[in-house]
Amino acid sequence: MGLVTELLLNDGTLPQLSSLVEKPNLINKKNGALFSLLWFLLLVMIITPITAVLELDAIVAIFAILGVFGSLFILIFSLLFLPSSKRSNIASFPARRMKKVGRVEIPQEAFLAVLKVNEG
């Protein structure tokens, strides 16, 4: 009977299982920092030497500047504006759950106990 009551209280969902269904967000601080590192390595360590060997002097400078300052800009942007990656921890459930009745929050155990008394 506890499962049915919890489903009724949470509009037909189980909040403990909601973290399992959520898809991870790929746009976060960690991936932004990784992308800036890959950008730096690609432009400065790979493309710049290749263009230098091909004797494209003006393009070498452009790729070097884009590699250094582009990766710095991407890193700062990702650290300031992108959300942190959230790791779901199922062991943290159930945190202290409260049921709001009007303006008063009541612990869920007390609320369920009242429901059981009313049923029996």
Side-chain angles (χ1 to χ4, degrees), residues 6-106:
E6 190 168 355
L7 281 170
L8 291 173
L9 290 175
N10 295 309
D11 298 326
T13 62
L14 289 174
Q16 295 90 340
L17 300 176
S18 65
S19 65
L20 298 175
V21 177
E22 294 175 358
K23 294 182 180 178
N25 190 4
L26 293 177
I27 302 174
N28 55 34
K29 288 182 182 184
K30 178 183 171 186
N31 291 342
L34 182 65
F35 181 73
S36 73
L37 177 67
L38 292 175
W39 179 269
F40 177 79
L41 292 176
L42 178 70
L43 285 178
V44 174
M45 301 296 183
I46 296 173
I47 294 179
T48 301
I50 290 173
T51 54
V53 168
L54 296 175
E55 297 180 5
L56 303 171
D57 296 331
I59 296 175
V60 171
I62 291 172
F63 279 129
I65 291 171
L66 279 177
V68 172
F69 290 108
S71 65
L72 184 62
F73 176 75
I74 293 169
L75 180 65
I76 291 171
F77 177 82
S78 64
L79 293 177
L80 290 178
F81 298 112
L82 293 181
S84 298
S85 59
K86 294 180 181 176
R87 295 184 180 205
S88 64
N89 186 3
I90 297 174
S92 68
F93 283 109
R96 175 120 186 186
R97 300 192 44 207
M98 305 290 262
K99 179 69 178 171
K100 191 165 189 172
V101 178
R103 293 182 180 209
V104 179
E105 290 186 354
I106 302 171

Side-chain angles (χ1 to χ4, degrees), residues 1-9 14 108 112 116 119:
M1 192 64 172
L3 181 63
V4 174
T5 307
E6 190 168 355
L7 281 170
L8 291 173
L9 290 175
L14 289 174
Q108 186 175 7
L112 292 175
K116 287 180 184 176
E119 291 174 358

